[in-house]
Every structure is written in C-alpha cells, then in structure tokens.
Amino acid sequence: MNILVLNAGSSTLKFELIRTDRERLAADADEKLARGVIERIGAEAILELDVTGGGHRVETAPLADIREAVEWLLRWIASAESGIDIDSLAEIHGVGHRVVHGGEDFRASVRIDDDVLSRLQDMIHLAPLHNPHNIRGIEAVRQVLGSGVPQAAVFDTAFHADLPEHAYLYAVPYSLYRRHRIRRYGFHGTSHRYVAWRYRKLLEVEKEDVRIITVHLGNGCSACAIDGGRSVDTSMGFTPLEGLVMGTRAGDLDPALLEYIAAREGMNVREVTNLLNKQSGLLGISGLTHDMRELLAEEAEHDDRRARLAIDLFCYRVRKYLGSYLAVLEGADAIVLTGGIGQNSAAIRQRILGPMGWAGLHLDEARNSDSADRGPRRVSTDDSPLAAWVIPTDEELLIARDTVRLIG
Ligand code: AMP
C-alpha cells in the first residue's frame, strides 16, 4: 500500500510517501518513496522535494491554501516527472495525518469519518494554533481524492492518554477539570512512542519491561517517563508551552508572571502568551536565534555570553527533568535522546548527560562524538547501569503504520 503522511501547519505542509503493508510492517521493511515540505503556502510557495534515489529539488508555485498545496502535491506524485513509481492517484491507498490534539476523546489513532471530523471540529478550542490546520489538511484530501480514499488521524496526545491522575491533574480546583477538561495532555506522543518501540526492538525486550526516559529535543522539546512501555509522565502540559526550554517557547515558569508581564509591558494576556510561545526559549535568552546549531556556532566562534547562557539554561532544564523522572520511575534502564538536537549534537548530549555519573550514567566519549553514525546507537559505556541511547525519531513511519492498520 502507498500511504501519504501529511502534517499540515498554518503555512506549511510536510509530507512523506511510504510503501508499507502488513507484511512489510511485520518485517520492519517499509519503503520510503519520497518526502518533502511545502512552505509559504498563501503566497509564492517554496517546495522542497526528495525522491528516494532521485535527488533533491526545490521549486516554487503560487499556492493559495492547503487545498491547492495538497492538489499540487498529489498531481506531482502521480506525474511521470516526479520519478516516483506511482502512475495515478488511484495508487495512493490511504492518507495518515498528524493531528496535534486529540483531547480526552481520542486515546489512539482513528480512521476518519464524518463523526470523527465533527468531533475534531468541536475540540479546536483545545489547540487553536494547530488543529484547524490539521483539519484543513484532512478536508483538502477529501476534496482532491474523494471521500473513498481512507484517511487516519494520529494524535500527538494519544500516547499520553493513560497518564495517572496524579500526573495529569494540575493542583487547581478540581471543578476546572470537570467543567473544562483542564489537565496535562502532553504532546510529541508519536515521537516518544516510536522511540520507545524502536528501543524495545533493539534491546529485544517485552513492552512491559521498558522503563526509560525519552527526550525529544528539536524546535519543540519534551521529556517522557515511560514505565511498562506506557507514558506515565511528560513535560508538555495543557499546551506544548510547558516543560523544557525550547527554540522559542519558555517552558516552565511561574504563572503569576502572566499578569505581571502584562501590567509592566502594557500587554494583554494573549500577547503575553504569544511572547512565551514565540519570543522566549533559546531565542529569548540569546537574543540571537532559536536555532541550536547557530547558537553553538556563536558560542564557539565568538564566545557569545548570551548564546552560552541560552544553551546552559536549555541543558540544565533537561537535566532537572531527567532527575525528576528518575525519581518518578524509581530508576530507569535508559535515557533515549531524539529530535534534531538530541540526534545530532554530541556537544549538547555531553552537556546534559556528562554530569550524570551520580545516577550511574557514563557517557562513552568516542561513541557520543561519532558523527558518522546516524542510526540508533548506545552512547554510554557498556557497563553503565543507566544507559544512554540516541534513536532517530520517525513519526511519519508510525503514522503510516497506524494508517495501514486502521484501513486494513
Ligand atoms: P527538529 O525540530 O527536530 O528538526 O530540530 C531542529 C533543531 O535541531 C534546531 O535547533 C537545529 O539547530 C538543531 N540541530 C540540527 N542539527 C544540529 C546539529 N548538528 N547540532 C546542533 N543542533 C542541531
């Protein structure tokens, strides 16, 4: 089966085309056909397209909205010009969507029908920055391919659906939870779930025996305590703002700051929330960039004080969470890092994990700094009681696999 995986944002559409079916799934032999991203939808869009074995190309096209982007993408896939071994739209057998928020309703991936779509519409208030775009992506596929092509929704929140009450409740009046479902939902669930699954396969252990902490460090960052293969706590909360320091998000802070910043800076609550989401984190502290690679370069080349401060704050917060999740899990077997920063930066891994000898985690310097190895790998010494792993995430693969399972 050829499954198109879509991640629709406000002006971007990320995609991956994956050939998979039950046999390939069982053999872990899925085939990636193409991937790419369409940016600046709404204006002259920029399309970056990679076909497996066919090289990289960049194009521009005037795409007014997500529907036009989906239409362009599907026609390109089926065209001879793409070089993909798909000749017509009929050979796209299903579409899987990343949907950010599934609320308390959606505790696992679902096949999309009218009822699912209307329930998703009803919970837009939970994720007004993300879900409307995800829904537009689903509707666009329906318009272009027709409702006969099955679609599935895979939720960022679903992996955390079984958090225990003491982990998901905030210590505010319980009536707020009852009335408005105010609680920790957690996000990045597909990434944490994928990494935990891959770890289990690598180590050949049963799901029930997986007791690890997964840390996704990309533009967005979150940590997840996993016990018996299930998420028992996670750092993002009611929204993705809580927890670790991120590219532009502040992560944990005193909620009283909202009123104080608003009063002092003459802002309203929405503006302050925006500041905490878009102008804080690495960008806010450094005053330079949200991009970790650039910050590391600034620090190395110019000894920039605030670049260093931003990186230190970032690493410190991750370590603080690792400590608390080790307490939550009463010890763990491994810490697994993933995401653009976690996968690629030996320096950041060293700064986070280096001082964790007390917990029995001993980094192996040669393994950690081996930049040629891009696959899943252990970066701690063999005799380290608490292991450290790098496992590249692959949310798209999990979305494609869930889609295949749901559409049969
Ligand atoms: P993601 O959201 O997973 O794509 O991750 C994006 C983040 O990963 C950005 O902050 C990048 O600067 C960072 N990143 C990617 N490659 C590297 C690298 N080699 N060293 C440090 N940071 C990196």
Side-chain angles (χ1 to χ4, degrees):
M1 282 182 164
N2 299 314
I3 305 294
L4 180 65
V5 176
L6 292 181
N7 180 357
S10 59
S11 63
T12 60
L13 180 69
K14 290 192 192 144
F15 75 93
E16 208 160 301
L17 185 63
I18 301 177
R19 186 164 289 165
T20 183
D21 49 41
R22 285 177 186 275
E23 288 76 43
R24 284 171 201 262
L25 217 134
D28 202 6
D30 324 73
E31 197 184 334
K32 304 262 179 134
L33 302 181
R35 63 180 304 163
V37 57
I38 304 179
E39 284 177 315
R40 293 208 348 215
I41 296 168
E44 185 72 8
I46 301 173
L47 304 95
E48 289 200 41
L49 309 160
D50 288 284
V51 177
T52 306
H56 176 79
R57 49 190 269 224
V58 181
E59 291 207 14
T60 60
L63 299 174
D65 51 27
I66 291 280
R67 195 195 59 74
E68 287 190 13
V70 166
E71 189 162 9
W72 190 101
L73 176 63
L74 287 164
R75 301 222 176 285
W76 172 76
I77 289 171
S79 72
E81 179 204 359
S82 74
I84 301 170
D85 169 28
I86 286 181
D87 300 325
S88 79
L89 294 182
E91 290 174 50
I92 308 235
H93 303 107
V95 180
H97 295 264
R98 175 188 184 209
V99 178
V100 168
H101 215 309
E104 285 196 324
D105 267 28
F106 296 108
R107 307 173 64 81
S109 305
V110 284
R111 184 166 170 162
I112 296 166
D113 57 19
D114 288 340
D115 175 52
V116 167
L117 208 47
S118 90
R119 279 155 69 202
L120 283 175
Q121 298 276 12
D122 289 345
M123 60 173 70
I124 279 181
H125 58 93
L126 284 174
L129 299 181
H130 297 103
N131 273 27
H133 310 299
N134 304 151
I135 292 171
R136 250 171 247 134
I138 295 167
E139 289 169 342
V141 171
R142 271 197 177 182
Q143 284 163 6
V144 180
L145 290 182
S147 51
V149 174
Q151 301 195 67
V154 178
F155 301 94
D156 266 23
T157 47
F159 185 56
H160 309 297
D162 292 329
L163 290 185
E165 266 183 320
H166 58 248
Y168 76 66
L169 283 176
Y170 292 109
V172 296
Y174 190 77
S175 56
L176 289 177
Y177 169 66
R178 262 209 311 256
R179 284 211 296 271
H180 309 296
R181 299 288 147 203
I182 290 172
R183 52 163 286 174
R184 174 182 312 285
Y185 288 98
F187 299 86
H188 281 159
T190 314
S191 180
H192 292 295
R193 183 179 141 214
Y194 173 82
V195 164
W197 171 80
R198 184 57 77 191
Y199 171 87
R200 175 160 86 78
K201 289 282 164 193
L202 288 164
L203 279 272
E204 297 180 358
V205 290
E206 294 300 318
K207 183 173 175 191
E208 293 66 36
D209 297 326
V210 174
R211 195 177 53 138
I212 60 176
I213 301 168
T214 52
V215 190
H216 180 112
L217 303 177
N219 281 323
C221 301
S222 67
C224 183
I226 296 177
D227 196 9
R230 296 148 84 101
S231 168
V232 294
D233 205 351
T234 190
S235 59
M236 283 176 166
F238 179 70
T239 75
L241 180 55
E242 194 181 347
L244 303 178
V245 175
M246 312 181 208
T248 62
R249 294 189 195 120
D252 293 340
L253 47 75
D254 182 343
L257 276 174
L258 225 74
E259 188 188 354
Y260 191 78
I261 295 172
R264 287 289 175 171
E265 293 283 319
M267 297 166 118
N268 62 35
V269 171
R270 181 178 291 235
E271 287 165 336
V272 179
T273 306
N274 198 45
L275 174 129
L276 299 175
N277 269 303
K278 304 237 169 90
Q279 269 141 49
S280 301
L282 294 175
L283 171 66
I285 296 290
S286 71
L288 291 172
T289 172
H290 70 279
D291 190 291
M292 182 59 94
R293 203 170 2 188
E294 291 176 16
L295 281 179
L296 286 163
E298 279 298 323
E299 184 191 35
E301 289 162 26
H302 304 115
D303 198 22
D304 188 279
R305 190 187 84 83
R306 280 180 40 200
R308 168 166 308 118
L309 192 58
I311 300 168
D312 285 346
L313 226 134
F314 178 93
C315 296
Y316 173 76
R317 184 79 56 86
V318 176
R319 190 134 35 81
K320 201 156 131 175
Y321 265 91
L322 291 177
S324 78
Y325 286 172
L326 284 172
V328 162
L329 294 170
E330 300 178 38
D333 297 320
I335 290 169
V336 187
L337 300 187
T338 193
I341 301 170
Q343 287 166 215
N344 298 312
S345 178
I348 296 294
R349 289 195 296 269
Q350 172 66 42
R351 277 157 89 156
I352 294 170
L353 302 176
M356 289 193 63
W358 66 270
L361 191 158
H362 307 289
L363 268 192
D364 181 311
E365 226 165 276
R367 284 179 183 167
N368 186 45
S369 54
D370 181 359
S371 55
D373 192 349
R374 326 262 334 145
R377 58 206 185 270
R378 187 198 291 260
V379 291
S380 53
T381 58
D382 286 338
D383 59 358
S384 202
L386 174 60
W389 281 79
V390 173
I391 300 185
T393 193
D394 195 343
E395 295 162 85
E396 292 77 14
L397 181 65
L398 207 49
I399 294 173
R401 288 175 161 208
D402 276 8
T403 304
V404 163
R405 285 195 198 94
L406 287 164
I407 69 179

